[in-house]
Structure formats: structure tokens, C-alpha cells
Amino acid sequence: MNHHIPDAAPPTGGSPAGRRTSILILDDEPIVCKRLKPFFQKAGYEVEAFGRPAEALDRVRERRFDVVITDLKMPGMDGLAFLGQVKTQHPDTNVIVITGFATLETARESFRNGVFDFVAKPFKLPAILDAVKRIEKERGLVP
Amino acid sequence: MPFSVLFKKFKSILERNNAILELMGDMGDKLGGEYIYDRQYLFETCERLGDQVFKLISDLSLLCQRKNVALFTAFERIQFRIREEMAGRRTLSRPDHILPLAELTHDLADEGGNKMAGLGDIRNILGFDVPEGFVITAGAYFEVIGQAGLRRDAAQSAVFPGEAEADLAVMSARLQEAILRVPIPKRLARAIEKAARETAGKDGLLAVRSSAWGEDGESSFAGMYESVLGVPPGEILDAYRRVLSSLFAEQALRHRAHHGPSGEEPAMAVGVMRMVDARTSGGLYTYAPLRDQDRAMVVSAAWGLGKPIVEGTAETDTYLLDREPPYELLSSDIAAKTTRMALVPSGGTDIREVPDAEQAVPCLTPDQIAVLARTAMALERFFKRPLDVEWAFTGDDALVVLQARPLAIQPREPSRRPDAAQAARDAPVLLSGQGVAAMGGVASGPVHLVKQREDLSDFPYGAILVAMHSSPRYARVMPRCRGIITDIGSATGHMATIARELRVPTLVGVGNATRTLTEGREITLDADHGVIYDGMVEALCRFELVRKDVFEESWEYRTLKRVLKHITPLTLLDPKADSFSPEFCTTFHDIARYVHQRAVNKLISLSETHPELKGNASRRLVTRLPLGLAVIDVDGGISPDASAEAAEEDLLCHPLKALLEGLNASGMWETRPVAVGMGSFLSSLTRTLSAEQAHPRRMGRNLAVISKEYLNLHLRLGYHFTVVDAFVGGPVNDNVIYFRFMGGVTDLARRSRRAGLVATILEHFDFMVELKGDMVTGRLKQHPTQAMLDAMFMLGGLIGYTRQLDAMLDSDGAGKRHVETFLHRIAHAGRNKK
């Protein structure tokens, strides 16, 4: 039952130089934003959360995020379309898809679109933190 | 029908039964702090569960070749309730719309309003004194205004942004006037008056308080709605109307227009409580909104009733206290208190002179201040927010909590986030990345290591409990402890459930906390992140306290809790009782249990009578102990050479062999007479046990269905009913043991004591344990085969050891001693040590 985060460390969002890793969260279920935002903030990340794809898209056009965490199925805009837009604007932004409708097909499609990771809902908080940490590591954002 | 087909159905029932239990456990897990889930999860899981239960009943229909109409009806009934809960409709069990405070918790916030639901939590979960009383529900409000034809107007009043201020005044006047004259439906009026008389008792007066939807939430301010104090029970209906009408006061309309969530219909539940004849009363902010006093709480107090203090019209004593135990007094400012508000026995209140000699005397003693501080901090930890607490001390010095509402403060908002992360980064980490959050949150305090034999009555106030194993017995110190950390334990265990109920941040399964954390060391536990810091990380605690959304108050959390009430409780306990029937199934668990029992009975009778099988399918197992066990081998569980009377040596089934070994080798089967004077009721037991040679049908139907790796065991020893379902010996991930224990011939107290003891022992061996009354279920999963077989051995010992034990459990102390004896004996009888 014990569950270990690989190379677990205290919450350490961001580089030693002081710039914090920025995360955008998009999910139309308010509970997801409400819980993920303080969780990542407490871990030292710079976080913005959105419930509507259009608003998130506006924000992405204004600035670049290191990591985008997006739901797949939302009214208004498909998560895949959103991630396409993100990638067009900022090819180096890493995207993590979270979804309650995980099928092999959607997973495949997501990866084809350059998704870094795919997390099925419901998920454990340490699992998503771990996904973000792997991005940081891969991109040299953390030592 | 061929036996193989019927047996397949039986197996499918067992599998489905396990799948249902799994799903239920999975849903229970989601009440912990670890998971992110959403609406979609709730809908999907409820559907899946419903589907499984439906198919389970269908399987039984096939096995028994019956229609099971009553069972399907029970299913429909439960399914309907779950769907209603999911749709946000409460099936109203109270047509009179009266809800006693004793039955109110946050789960009923929609009926009782936030304020009264909070008071219900304070009374019913945290156990503090609040005034006696009841709530006239939001449902009653809808009935009243509905019958008066005002519902549309009332709802309309919430959706008029941009409308002229003058129109607001007109609308307010019209609605208020109408409500002050509104006729209260007869049945409701009678129910309110009756409850009011009962609450007031002889000569008592009532406080009638608003508890509107959204009141005391983020978008409301204190004092927006009316409270009427000192109401004689005969005038309750007018007071009720007055409070209802305040929902449409002009300032309330304006406030909702500016702040309210657009379009949400307003509703007003009303709390009615017995007036507390306060000697001293006042308010307390757990977090002083003062610039340089970020770590203080502030108390205002005056003689008499508290209304003038809340309204700010009275001279009050002011005390500043440290927020950390022992809540040192930082400063006190004693005012000259010339007047006090008092109750007028005939009704209402008045203002009286305070005698000269009392005016300059502090109105709180150091002891009272200490009690107040502890209570307030306990409330703050529970509600996870800074609070504004209204309180009173009665003439006999009892503290009564009158109200607790969130305090809208944001200490240094712009800088607090980086603060918390920075502080977390700078603080030395003692442990991280281990364990499961059974309850999320942040807590700080000194470590108190709890040893196995420790008497908890000396548990230090405000400490963090650190122990090797989680245990339900920690429940009694939870109100005193700030957090819990255990080396071993599960998020679905009994202790975790209580910790969630009391919202104590809890991290279980950490592995080496008892070795790493030393007694008395100041630590900060961040259960959400699974990190334990050295020292007190103040910024992290503050971050936790001022966050906007408390998970336990979210729709998802509350709905899951509500839905689970129709799913997990087991009310169908005794298979011999008349109530063991489909009509009495009130939860999915009940249905599963009923079907399981019926299926087992059916299989036994089939194995005895089925023409295909007669003679060789069911074998009697000859053991050294009088188990009266029939064995049905499905696949390689018994030597092909075995006769109808199989010996233990013929068994090839790994889990059963290990279990029997535990029963035999550990010397746990108690054969001595239990106790002098117990003979009369134990005779029935003895009779059952001595019937060793009897036909299984009269033996209480003890049956083991086995294969090489699989065991499904139903063991009824006297009045003790044990089920073991185990698969051991395949891939590690398939290894699973399910153990259920219930019953007993003694009174419920002793039976529950034994259940507690069994639970403690199971938790000791890493089982995920659930305890309900005298029933214990334990599950162990995915351990290596050797460890699983050791667990089977232990279970064998446990079955033997606890067989007649309830009769001896005449005190809690006895239960504790027997846990130790058992652990000692089983350790010495261990499989590996032989």
C-alpha cells in the first residue's frame, strides 16, 4: 500500500536561479482547478487555472507557460485542439493531458500531437506532481 | 442444469461480489486527500456499481432458478436514492421540515443552511456544547412561500443586476410585507410550535436565527439577516416570519445583486435554539486582523448576553492570545463595563446596570480563557479557516459555542504564496515521498510517539501522534492531536475514517516515521505533499488556513459521502434473523451480502443433492479440530486419491493449508471452559461444536470451495461467522485475501470489543480494515506469496484464538491484553520459526 514518488524531494518548483516553473491548468470541472492550483502553488510553482478553454487560450496567446495541464473533453473546445494551439504558439511548452475518458485511441492521438504525458482521472496528487517534475528534469529546469 | 454451469454462476457471483467490494473500497479511498476526481468519476462509478449489483442479482436468479423479484425491487429502491443524491435532490425523509440539531451535520447543509450545519458539526462531530435546538429547513421555506404564491417573486429577487436602486426598495418592501403576513401551513406550524415548546422547556426562551443558503460563505457578510432573541415559544411563528423576511431586506437584495452568484435562488433555513442565560459572552477571532499581530487570536468579552458585543455597542474586555499552545496571554485590556444585556423572563431582552464593584473586573478567568482558546483552535482546525466564534459561559461555568463563521481575512495576500513555497523550500525536510494521505492538510506541533501499550489518557494536547500502526483506538485522542503519522496503515482503515470525520491531517504508511521522528521534536506535517518538515513552518500553516476552497466542503466530496451512505453500510448482519431478506436490504452492500449467502447455501445443497455429484463432489475434511468442514474442489485443490473423508494431508490448496496450519500449530484453539457462570449461554455453543460428526446441513454449513490457489471458506463456529476468500500463489498482483468476521453470543459491547481486537490485530498485519459494529472486514492485497501465506497462517490462529473470546472481554483493558497475548503467541508459532 505504500506508495513512493521516484526521487522524492521536498516541494521544489522552479530553478535554483529563482525563476519558478509556470503551469497553466485548464479543466471545466471547477473541483480540479480548485485542488490542483493550491497544491502546485504550495509546491512552489507559478500557477494559473482556467475553467473555460477560450479564456485559457487568450492567456496562452499573451504569455508562455512551461507546462500546460489540460482536460480532454470540454464544452466549447476539445482538449486536443487546445493543445494544438498551445504547441503552435509555444512549441517548447510541455503538455500533460488529464482525462476521465481514457481510451487507447485518445492516448495515441494525444501523443501524436506532442503530449508529454497522459494521466487518467481520477489520479493521485503525487502522480501529477511527478509528471511535472519529469518535465522539469528533462528540460534542465531543476538541477 | 449441469453442475459445471451452476458452479460457473457461483464463481461469477463470488467474483462480482469481490468486484463490488473493490469498487466500494475504491470510492471510500476517494474521501482521502490523495485523489483528484470530478463529477464524471462519481457518475461513472455509481453506474458501474449499479450495473455490477444488477448482474449479481441476475446471476443468483440463474443459480437458484428463481425470479428474485423482491431483490430487484430492493435494487431499484437503492438505485433511485443514489440517482436522486447525484441529481442534488434530497429525498426528504421529514415531511414536517423539522431537523433536530442533534441530527444535523454538514451533509445536510442544503436543508439546514451553512450556519446551523456548522453548529451541528460542532456538536455532533467535535462534541462541544451548543444550545439545544432544531432547524426549520430550507424545505420548509419553499413550502411556506410556495403556498403563498411568492416563490417566483422570491427567486426573481436574486436576478436583477443593473436594476434601479429605487426598484430594489419597492421589491424589498413588497416581499417583506408579504412574508411578515404569510400564513404558515397548518401541519408545519403545529410541528414548529411543538418543537419550540420542547426546546424551550419550562420557562425557557428561544433564539431564532437565520441560516440562509450561502450565508457565512465567501460572498456574504455577517449580520445581513435577522436574529430574534428571547422569544417565548408561543411567539415562535412570528419570529420565524421575521427571520424569513430578512432574506429580502433591501440591503440583502443589494448585497446579493452585487456579490451573489448569478441566478442562484435564495433560501432561508431558520435555527431555533434555547437561549443561553449567559453570565459572560463574547466573540473570538482565531486570527487577529491586526497588522503586527499575525499570530494572535483576539477575544472580546462582556457580562451578560453577547448581542451588544457583536453589534459593537458594548464596552468589552479585549484579550490577545498566542495561537500556539499554551496560548499565552499577550495582552489584556479591561474596560469599564457599565451595562449588560439580560433576558427578560416574560420574553425579550433588556439592558441593565452592572454593579460598580463588577465594572472593572475582568470578565474572564485565566481558566476560561484557556478553555476558549483550545476550543477555538479545535474549531479552526476542523473548518480549516480562521473563524469568528460567538461563545458564552453559563452561570455554572460551562462554555457554550453559539456560532462559528469563517473570518474573511487574507493576511498579506499578495505575498503569501511565494512565502509558503519559499518556507517549504527552506525548511529542513525530515521525511518525504512516503506514505498515503488519509486526510489532507497541514499541521504542526511536537511529536508524541505512541507505544503499543501506552495509555492514551496522558496524550499531550496539541501534539502530533506518531505510531507504528494505525489504530481505531486513537479516535479518543484525535480531538487533542493536531496530526497523525503512522509507519503502517491504510487510507481505508477505520482510523482513517475517523480522522477524516474529524479532519485531522493524517499520513499513513510512511514506513519509518517512528524511527526518524523523536519525541518532543517540533515538526510540520504536510499530508497533501507527504512531507514532514523539521520545526514549525508557519507560512505553510497559514497558506493552508487562508485558502479559499476547503475540499471537504466541495460538492464532489459531500455528494460522494452522501452516495456512499446508500452503498457501503452493512445492515444485514445475521443470516439467521428474519430480517435477513431482500425487503430489508437498504444498501448495495446488503444486497451483495444477501446474494453471497444465498449462493453459498445453494451451492452446498446442490453439492449434496445434485445427481451429477452425489458421492464425490463434496468431501468431509477430517481435521484435528472440530470444524465440520465440507470441501468442494474446483481445480487441483485436493489429491485425486483422496476419499470422501479427506485428510489434511490430501489438501493441495495452498491458502487452506496455511490457514489450517495456523489453526493447528499455533495452539490457539482454546479448549478450556471459558468462565464460571458463563455456562448457560455457552451450552448452545458447545452443542454445536460437539456435533462434529453431524451432517453438514446441521453443522451450520461450513464449506470451503478450493482450487490449488483459491480458497473460499465459510466457517460458522457457534455464533461466530467467518468468511475467508483468498487467492494466493499466482502473480503477486493477483494475490488477495478477504477476511470477514462477525457475530458472537454475548452482548453488543463485548462483541464490539472483540471486533475491535480483531481489527487491531488485522491492522497490525497490514490488512485494510473496516469495522462496523461487531463486524470486521479486512483485506490484504498484492503482497508476495510467502507473506500472504504467513497471513493465512495468522488468520488460522486468529480464528482459533477469538472463537470464544467475546465472553471474556469484560473491559477495554481485557481487549488490549488479548491483542498482546495473541501477537506474542503468533510470533512464536510463526510459520518460519517452526
Side-chain angles (χ1 to χ4, degrees):
Chain A
M1 200 55 205
N2 280 12
H3 133 122
H4 296 263
I5 310 169
D7 63 64
T12 52
S15 65
R19 196 186 75 80
R20 290 178 299 138
T21 302
S22 56
I23 303 178
L24 178 143
I25 300 166
L26 169 60
D27 198 308
D28 63 318
E29 294 259 17
I31 186 80
V32 177
C33 294
K34 280 180 183 176
R35 293 199 62 205
L36 282 184
K37 191 175 172 186
F39 177 77
F40 277 115
Q41 278 176 337
K42 202 161 70 174
Y45 294 89
E46 188 196 326
V47 189
E48 292 184 33
F50 297 89
R52 292 189 195 146
E55 284 167 13
L57 198 56
D58 286 347
R59 191 64 182 132
V60 164
R61 289 195 178 112
E62 281 167 27
R63 64 159 289 188
R64 179 194 155 276
F65 289 87
D66 295 316
V67 179
V68 162
I69 299 174
T70 177
D71 190 11
L72 215 47
K73 251 192 183 171
M74 290 168 290
M77 182 190 264
D78 188 45
L80 279 174
F82 176 71
L83 99 87
Q85 295 275 357
V86 170
K87 283 283 180 189
T88 315
Q89 297 278 328
H90 312 285
D92 61 340
T93 290
N94 289 112
V95 181
I96 299 169
V97 162
I98 49 174
T99 178
F101 303 87
T103 65
L104 204 58
E105 195 39 52
T106 49
R108 231 181 251 141
E109 176 93 23
S110 304
F111 285 120
R112 260 203 301 276
N113 282 276
V115 159
F116 182 85
D117 217 334
F118 191 87
V119 182
K121 281 197 265 186
F123 54 82
K124 288 187 174 189
L125 282 166
I128 193 117
L129 182 61
D130 185 42
V132 171
K133 279 188 175 162
R134 275 191 288 121
I135 289 177
E136 289 182 295
K137 207 167 195 184
E138 207 152 290
R139 297 174 40 144
L141 291 170
V142 285
Chain B
M1 210 178 289
F3 184 76
S4 59
V5 173
L6 293 171
F7 185 75
K8 242 184 170 162
K9 274 294 147 212
F10 175 75
K11 254 187 96 182
S12 150
I13 286 173
L14 293 184
E15 276 159 21
R16 233 186 264 292
N17 194 55
N18 285 345
I20 288 166
L21 293 171
E22 288 282 322
L23 264 176
M24 295 195 307
D26 188 58
M27 292 175 87
D29 269 351
K30 301 296 181 289
L31 289 176
E34 288 261 302
Y35 284 92
I36 295 282
Y37 59 90
D38 53 20
R39 236 163 240 270
Q40 177 60 32
Y41 165 78
L42 293 180
F43 282 109
E44 213 178 84
T45 325
C46 286
E47 282 305 306
R48 263 171 62 201
L49 192 60
D51 183 55
Q52 288 284 356
V53 176
F54 183 84
K55 286 177 179 155
L56 185 76
I57 302 171
S58 310
D59 281 345
L60 183 71
S61 296
L62 239 140
L63 183 68
C64 298
Q65 284 148 358
R66 282 224 195 120
K67 287 201 176 102
N68 284 326
V69 176
L71 211 43
F72 281 111
T73 312
F75 169 78
E76 286 297 335
R77 202 170 52 226
I78 298 163
Q79 180 86 326
F80 173 78
R81 289 198 190 120
I82 292 172
R83 289 194 171 143
E84 289 288 294
E85 297 281 13
M86 293 297 293
R89 285 187 292 271
R90 262 8 121 253
T91 25
L92 286 177
S93 51
R94 300 179 169 275
D96 58 353
H97 298 315
I98 301 290
L99 202 58
L101 201 44
E103 292 173 27
L104 189 63
T105 61
H106 235 97
D107 293 341
L108 291 164
D110 290 346
E111 280 93 334
N114 290 349
K115 189 193 281 181
M116 292 304 291
L119 215 50
D121 285 345
I122 293 169
R123 181 194 189 280
N124 302 316
I125 296 178
L126 298 176
F128 293 112
D129 281 345
V130 306
E132 288 296 307
F134 62 94
V135 176
I136 311 169
T137 64
Y141 159 84
F142 286 122
E143 188 184 332
V144 169
I145 62 158
Q147 291 226 351
L150 292 168
R151 177 131 187 201
R152 242 186 64 191
D153 284 2
Q156 205 64 31
S157 77
V159 279
F160 47 69
E163 222 161 289
E165 296 276 307
D167 293 345
L168 271 185
V170 173
M171 181 183 274
S172 163
R174 192 167 53 79
L175 276 167
Q176 284 206 290
E177 226 168 90
I179 286 177
L180 285 172
R181 284 184 288 105
V182 82
I184 313 250
K186 261 209 191 92
R187 222 166 62 147
L188 178 62
R190 272 203 301 272
I192 294 174
E193 286 176 323
K194 179 164 172 274
R197 275 195 307 275
E198 284 167 7
T199 301
K202 196 172 163 282
D203 303 333
L205 295 173
L206 301 167
V208 184
R209 314 189 83 159
S210 65
S211 185
W213 279 359
E215 186 178 0
D216 291 349
E218 282 160 48
S219 59
S220 78
F221 62 86
M224 185 157 66
Y225 305 119
E226 181 143 2
S227 283
V228 192
L229 300 184
V231 179
E235 293 168 24
I236 182 70
L237 294 181
D238 276 339
Y240 176 54
R241 287 190 192 93
R242 253 175 80 188
V243 176
L244 284 192
S245 77
S246 73
L247 188 60
F248 304 102
E250 193 181 337
Q251 63 156 352
L253 292 189
R254 191 175 302 120
H255 186 84
R256 285 205 294 274
H258 291 306
H259 300 271
S262 56
E264 186 169 304
E265 189 172 10
M268 175 71 84
V270 174
V272 182
M273 287 169 286
R274 195 184 155 94
M275 282 293 292
V276 176
D277 195 2
R279 182 177 148 76
T280 320
S281 45
L284 184 155
Y285 288 170
T286 61
Y287 229 112
L290 307 171
R291 198 172 302 153
D292 50 350
Q293 282 294 358
D294 231 10
R295 287 186 59 182
M297 54 185 137
V298 58
V299 182
S300 316
W303 302 119
L305 303 184
K307 200 176 184 191
I309 307 168
V310 177
E311 286 170 349
T313 57
E315 283 290 326
T316 56
D317 293 348
T318 306
Y319 306 87
L320 278 186
L321 312 174
D322 193 356
R323 280 173 48 82
E324 287 301 310
Y327 310 118
E328 209 173 304
L329 186 62
L330 300 174
S331 73
S332 61
D333 179 7
I334 308 304
K337 302 164 288 287
T338 54
T339 58
R340 66 184 176 97
M341 186 183 248
L343 278 178
V344 177
S346 59
T349 56
D350 66 6
I351 301 292
R352 295 181 197 166
E353 296 274 310
V354 173
D356 287 349
E358 282 175 34
Q359 290 188 1
V361 176
C363 54
L364 288 177
T365 64
D367 282 352
Q368 287 176 322
I369 292 175
V371 170
L372 251 180
R374 281 182 174 205
T375 306
M377 291 317 284
L379 297 181
E380 186 191 81
R381 280 199 298 278
F382 179 81
F383 288 104
K384 292 186 170 177
R385 285 176 177 149
L387 296 176
D388 169 0
V389 182
E390 273 179 48
W391 53 267
F393 278 102
T394 58
D396 54 358
D397 214 23
L399 174 64
V400 182
V401 179
L402 302 175
Q403 183 175 322
R405 65 161 71 95
L407 191 56
I409 58 147
Q410 298 288 318
R412 294 181 302 198
E413 165 75 26
S415 62
R416 71 187 164 88
R417 275 162 192 158
D419 269 5
Q422 191 60 47
R425 196 177 313 179
D426 295 345
V429 171
L430 296 174
L431 280 168
S432 110
Q434 289 147 263
V436 178
M439 174 71 211
V442 173
S444 75
V447 166
H448 180 63
L449 287 164
V450 173
K451 311 204 173 49
Q452 209 129 49
R453 290 156 196 264
E454 184 167 330
D455 175 18
L456 290 167
S457 52
D458 292 330
F459 189 89
Y461 177 83
I464 292 184
L465 189 159
V466 180
M468 182 86 83
H469 299 278
S470 58
S471 162
R473 74 189 180 99
Y474 300 150
R476 53 181 282 234
V477 297
M478 278 186 202
R480 274 184 281 165
C481 81
R482 293 192 166 182
I484 300 170
I485 304 167
T486 69
D487 288 350
I488 296 166
S490 80
T492 40
H494 189 51
M495 185 196 82
T497 310
I498 307 167
R500 278 197 288 275
E501 200 61 26
L502 294 167
R503 301 193 187 171
V504 181
T506 299
L507 195 64
V508 295
V510 174
N512 55 347
T514 51
R515 268 170 286 144
T516 311
L517 305 173
T518 47
E519 179 71 25
R521 184 171 203 158
E522 190 88 19
I523 59 164
T524 300
L525 160 69
D526 180 349
D528 300 313
H529 286 265
V531 184
I532 297 161
Y533 299 94
D534 195 10
M536 151 115 176
V537 190
E538 157 75 7
L540 210 55
C541 298
R542 186 169 50 219
F543 178 89
E544 188 68 12
L545 207 54
V546 298
R547 61 202 269 181
K548 274 207 183 101
D549 300 291
V550 177
F551 171 44
E552 294 77 42
E553 284 162 21
S554 66
W555 178 90
E556 287 79 2
Y557 184 88
R558 286 190 290 124
T559 304
L560 178 58
K561 249 182 100 176
R562 281 199 193 116
V563 161
L564 280 174
K565 281 188 186 155
H566 305 291
I567 295 174
T568 44
L570 188 60
T571 65
L572 222 56
L573 292 174
D574 180 8
K576 290 270 176 243
D578 289 340
S579 58
F580 199 85
S581 74
E583 288 74 20
F584 287 91
C585 289
T586 55
T587 65
F588 280 170
H589 201 170
D590 283 342
I591 292 186
R593 164 102 173 86
Y594 177 83
V595 170
H596 191 266
Q597 185 67 37
R598 282 280 309 275
V600 167
N601 290 349
K602 182 69 187 173
L603 193 73
I604 296 178
S605 70
L606 273 176
S607 71
E608 286 163 5
T609 57
H610 204 280
E612 239 179 274
L613 291 177
K614 265 197 144 179
N616 64 3
S618 151
R619 292 181 168 87
R620 201 176 75 80
L621 189 69
V622 182
T623 65
R624 270 158 282 184
L625 299 174
L627 296 178
L629 190 61
V631 179
I632 296 177
D633 178 33
V634 191
D635 185 17
I638 212 158
S639 156
D641 307 329
S643 67
E645 302 255 304
E648 277 184 65
E649 291 72 35
D650 295 325
L651 283 179
L652 301 173
C653 167
H654 298 308
L656 181 58
K657 272 174 79 167
L659 184 116
L660 287 174
E661 206 183 309
L663 253 172
N664 287 317
S666 62
M668 300 278 196
W669 187 276
E670 191 61 63
T671 48
R672 286 172 299 172
V674 170
V676 186
M678 295 287 178
S680 55
F681 69 81
L682 283 170
S683 61
S684 57
L685 192 85
T686 319
R687 262 202 304 279
T688 315
L689 294 179
S690 66
E692 188 183 348
Q693 306 300 326
H695 191 275
R697 184 177 287 157
R698 269 187 285 139
M699 264 309 299
R701 316 221 145 205
N702 286 338
L703 173 74
V705 177
I706 56 171
S707 76
K708 198 164 176 220
E709 293 90 7
Y710 177 71
L711 165 66
N712 182 271
L713 174 70
H714 289 256
L715 205 54
R716 195 169 159 265
L717 301 171
Y719 289 88
H720 311 159
F721 195 78
T722 304
V723 176
V724 180
D725 193 74
F727 184 90
V728 179
V732 169
N733 277 339
D734 291 349
N735 278 347
V736 60
I737 299 173
Y738 172 82
F739 175 81
R740 191 170 66 209
F741 181 92
M742 58 184 277
V745 75
T746 50
D747 57 291
L748 185 64
R750 284 171 201 238
R751 287 194 334 254
S752 303
R753 231 172 251 141
R754 181 176 56 176
L757 170 147
V758 171
T760 308
I761 291 170
L762 289 176
E763 284 198 337
H764 183 95
F765 288 96
D766 281 359
F767 277 74
M768 289 189 283
V769 179
E770 258 187 87
L771 188 61
K772 294 272 157 68
D774 69 346
M775 187 189 75
V776 189
T777 57
R779 271 181 291 171
L780 187 71
K781 285 191 295 190
Q782 298 171 355
H783 287 263
T785 296
Q786 202 49 49
M788 297 296 273
L789 290 176
D790 286 346
M792 291 304 297
F793 179 88
M794 185 279 294
L795 286 181
L798 188 63
I799 291 168
Y801 189 76
T802 53
R803 186 176 51 104
Q804 297 184 7
L805 201 58
D806 55 330
M808 289 190 256
L809 297 178
D810 47 7
S811 70
D812 287 344
K816 244 164 77 180
R817 275 197 309 281
H818 279 291
V819 169
E820 283 154 23
T821 311
F822 175 80
L823 292 178
H824 182 79
R825 281 203 210 166
I826 200 80
H828 284 83
R831 294 179 77 232
N832 300 328
K833 293 203 176 124
K834 271 193 298 77

